[in-house]
């Protein structure tokens, strides 16, 4: 693996400066002081805006920022961590005012809408000029997800697929067999398992659902449904398979009564908070939650494949990364920081902390094996490699954030109060088609 050139260039620059200063002044003892003074005077202060799923995640970001500062003393990185939902609102506000951070986090799901507005700087020229930077070390699927008009705009740090989190202790306490770690549960098996875990008198429930479109999409796909066609031109929310999946989710709550009642629709962390509370058997999310759950869960937990509907187990694959804001006043230094934050060694820190599938292939050659949960972490790699289920990338149109907002107004209320999934999806169908037609 090639080392990132920015760190080498910074080291040579300092050595050259010190050598010249010593010869000119004839006082070698003064050189370190002069070098430190010059570095301090030229230090670039860069803002790095990123999503933090809690204080544990924020501490992790700060750790790799501090490491980058040590390798690049001419850079000061200010970490701005924000919860998931608040991050996107904050980003829109900052972009509108011209006050965005130098580095911005992007999800592959939401990337197209920002790239189409020129929010990010293309990275090709920086990569070409940096002979020590190996862009091919990033997995091609996630790299392609962050290209717009053929130009890479984001360096990814992770890639993952939806899985099923299980509370191992609750399963054992109630005498319920653990799900197969290699074979996805059918929807019927999921219902039966959830029923065995549910006891409202004791406050236990089989599962918890996240009432949003992102989290619902794998259920739609696994039943053969779609939000929109693959060419992103036609809404598919009123198809029988999509409606069937939507009704299944509502039935888990109000017919089978195996899902924890959703009491706070505005809380984006309702489901993971409920899971770490210890009274829920199953929860559905990606490996990006490993860090936070490992820190907060006071019980043994693990992961198994996402459940299989009539179309099989079809979770979406996505990833996250960081890019340079087009509003950055110091994009060259921002590139140096970005390259270091996504280096093999930085991603190894994330992997060792629980990032099960870093975006760099070389990270695995340097990984540290631990006994920390989840024991079945390899299931994510098998899903991504196509060994389990039929995971697919979630490609989104430019209007995706508006589609998500429309779903929040139309579908999300059904998770708190039972309603007609077909009617709600039919209503959303027209809204989504209008957004797709707008382009």
């Amino acid at each position: 693996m090639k080392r990132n050139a920015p760190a080498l260039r910074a080291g040579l620059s300092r050595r050259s400066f010190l050598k010249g200063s010593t010869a000119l002044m004839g006082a070698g003892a003064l050189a370190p002081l002069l070098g430190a003074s010059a570095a301090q005077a030229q230090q670039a202060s860069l803002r790095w805006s990123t999503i933090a799923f809690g204080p544990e995640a924020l501490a992790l970001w700060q750790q790799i920022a501090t490491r980058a500062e040590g390798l690049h003393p001419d850079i000061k990185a200010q970490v701005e961590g924000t919860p998931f939902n608040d991050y996107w609102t904050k980003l829109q506000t900052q972009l509108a005012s011209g006050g965005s951070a130098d580095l911005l986090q992007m999800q592959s799901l939401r990337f197209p809408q920002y790239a189409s507005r020129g929010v990010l700087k293309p990275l090709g020229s920086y990569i070409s000029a940096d002979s020590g930077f190996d862009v091919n070390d990033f997995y091609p699927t996630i790299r392609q997800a962050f290209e717009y008009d053929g130009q890479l705009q984001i360096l990814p740090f992770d890639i993952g697929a939806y899985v099923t989190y299980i509370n191992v202790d609750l399963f054992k306490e109630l005498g319920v067999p653990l799900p197969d770690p290699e074979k996805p549960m059918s929807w019927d098996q999921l219902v039966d398992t959830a029923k065995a875990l549910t006891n409202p008198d004791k406050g236990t429930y089989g599962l918890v659902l996240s009432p949003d479109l992102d989290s619902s999409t794998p259920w739609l796909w696994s039943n053969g449904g779609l939000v929109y066609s693959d060419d992103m031109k036609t809404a598919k929310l009123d198809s029988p398979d999509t409606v069937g999946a939507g009704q299944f989710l509502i039935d888990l709550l109000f017919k089978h009564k195996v899902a924890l009642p959703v009491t706070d629709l505005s809380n984006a962390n309702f489901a993971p908070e409920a899971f770490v509370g210890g009274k829920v058997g199953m929860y559905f999310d990606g490996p990006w939650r490993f860090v936070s759950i490992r820190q907060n869960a006071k019980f043994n937990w693990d992961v198994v494949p996402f459940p299989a509907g009539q179309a099989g187990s079809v979770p979406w694959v996505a990833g996250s990364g960081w890019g340079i804001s087009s509003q950055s006043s110091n994009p060259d230094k921002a590139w140096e920081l970005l390259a270091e934050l996504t280096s093999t060694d930085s991603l190894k820190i994330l992997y060792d902390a629980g990032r099960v599938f870093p975006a760099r292939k070389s990270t695995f050659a340097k990984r540290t094996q631990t006994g920390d949960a989840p024991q079945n972490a390899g299931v994510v790699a098998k899903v991504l490699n196509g060994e389990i289920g039929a995971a697919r990338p979630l490609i989104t149109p430019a209007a995706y954030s508006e589609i998500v907002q429309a779903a929040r107004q139309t579908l999300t209320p059904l998770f708190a109060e039972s309603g007609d999934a077909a009617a709600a999806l039919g209503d959303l169908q027209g809204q989504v088609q209008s957004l797709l037609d707008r382009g």
Side-chain angles (χ1 to χ4, degrees):
M1 167 62 189
K2 300 177 181 177
R3 291 179 59 84
N4 289 341
L8 297 176
R9 288 198 300 269
L12 289 172
S13 175
R14 292 194 297 278
R15 287 194 293 271
S16 298
F17 175 78
L18 293 177
K19 181 178 178 181
S21 297
T22 303
L24 180 63
M25 300 294 294
L30 293 178
L33 296 177
L34 292 172
S37 177
Q40 186 176 16
Q42 298 174 7
Q43 189 177 57
S45 181
L46 300 174
R47 294 165 55 209
W48 170 28
S49 183
T50 191
I51 295 168
F53 286 111
E56 299 83 11
L58 183 58
L60 193 59
W61 301 143
Q62 186 61 61
Q63 182 180 351
I64 63 172
T66 300
R67 176 185 177 277
E69 290 174 338
L71 294 170
H72 301 263
D74 56 342
I75 291 176
K76 177 64 177 176
Q78 178 183 339
V79 184
E80 300 178 1
T82 309
F84 182 82
N85 275 1
D86 294 340
Y87 174 83
W88 303 104
T89 303
K90 175 182 176 181
L91 178 59
Q92 295 280 24
T93 301
Q94 290 182 338
L95 289 171
S97 66
S100 79
D102 297 278
L103 295 184
L104 307 175
Q105 180 168 340
M106 282 290 141
Q107 274 190 321
S108 58
L109 281 67
R110 289 167 171 78
F111 165 70
Q113 63 182 290
Y114 291 95
S116 65
R117 293 159 48 194
V119 166
L120 301 153
K121 292 185 70 68
L123 302 177
S125 61
Y126 296 102
I127 293 171
S128 298
D130 195 337
S131 61
F133 189 84
D134 184 8
V135 71
N136 293 317
D137 189 38
F138 293 94
Y139 285 94
T141 50
I142 191 61
R143 198 170 70 231
Q144 292 164 7
F146 283 126
E147 291 180 355
Y148 187 79
D149 285 344
Q151 299 185 82
L152 184 66
Q153 298 191 9
I154 294 290
L155 292 186
F157 63 82
D158 75 352
I159 178 174
Y162 255 55
V163 291
T164 303
Y165 287 72
I166 59 171
N167 181 333
V168 173
D169 286 352
L170 187 61
F171 271 78
K172 292 182 176 180
E173 176 187 338
L174 298 176
V176 181
L178 294 174
D180 191 317
E182 300 286 332
K183 182 180 179 181
M185 290 179 283
S186 69
W187 282 9
D188 286 342
Q189 290 172 329
L190 175 69
V191 171
D192 289 342
T193 300
K195 285 181 177 178
L197 293 166
T198 300
N199 187 332
D201 292 337
K202 293 184 178 181
T204 65
Y205 284 87
L207 55 89
V208 62
L209 297 171
S210 299
D212 57 76
L213 184 62
D214 287 354
S215 302
S216 300
T217 295
W219 298 98
L220 306 187
W221 287 359
S222 295
N223 202 48
L226 293 168
V227 177
Y228 41 75
S229 58
D230 290 343
D231 62 8
M232 297 184 287
K233 293 182 179 180
T234 306
K236 295 288 187 178
L237 288 156
D238 60 354
S239 73
D241 292 337
T242 302
V243 172
Q247 191 60 54
F248 176 72
L249 294 177
I250 302 307
D251 287 348
L252 289 174
L253 282 157
F254 301 105
K255 178 181 177 181
H256 304 299
K257 298 183 178 180
V258 295
L260 177 72
V262 180
T263 56
D264 188 356
L265 293 176
S266 64
N267 181 7
N269 290 318
F270 175 80
E273 288 174 357
F275 182 72
V276 299
K279 295 295 186 179
V280 171
M282 294 175 285
Y283 156 63
F284 313 94
D285 211 327
W288 40 84
R289 288 282 187 182
F290 282 6
V291 175
S292 147
I293 291 179
R294 182 182 295 138
Q295 291 290 332
N296 291 288
K298 307 303 180 185
F299 52 85
N300 293 308
W301 60 278
D302 215 327
V303 293
V304 297
F306 190 81
Q310 63 180 5
S313 173
V314 193
W316 52 253
V317 174
S320 295
W322 302 295
I324 303 172
S325 170
S326 58
Q327 296 178 358
S328 174
S329 60
N330 200 340
D332 292 343
K333 289 298 180 184
W335 163 254
E336 290 190 25
L337 177 59
L338 174 61
E340 199 61 67
L341 293 175
T342 57
S343 68
T344 298
D345 289 339
S346 289
L347 296 195
K348 180 180 180 297
I349 293 172
L350 302 185
Y351 178 92
D352 290 346
R355 293 283 181 182
V356 73
F357 211 94
R360 276 188 182 270
K361 292 174 281 188
S362 62
T363 299
F364 285 91
K366 302 182 71 173
R367 68 190 183 275
T368 301
Q369 299 287 1
T370 71
D372 294 335
Q375 294 301 304
N376 294 338
V379 72
V380 179
K382 291 182 179 181
V383 170
L384 291 169
N385 289 331
E387 299 172 50
I388 299 175
R392 52 179 286 189
L394 177 52
I395 307 299
T396 62
Y400 188 68
S401 66
E402 293 170 272
I403 291 174
V404 169
Q405 181 59 33
R408 187 174 295 129
Q409 299 296 323
T410 307
L411 293 183
T412 297
L414 296 182
F415 286 81
E417 184 176 347
S418 181
D420 185 353
L425 286 165
D427 183 21
L428 186 60
Q429 165 77 13
Q431 298 178 58
V432 171
Q433 188 61 59
S434 295
L435 291 169
L436 294 175
D437 289 343
R438 191 186 68 188

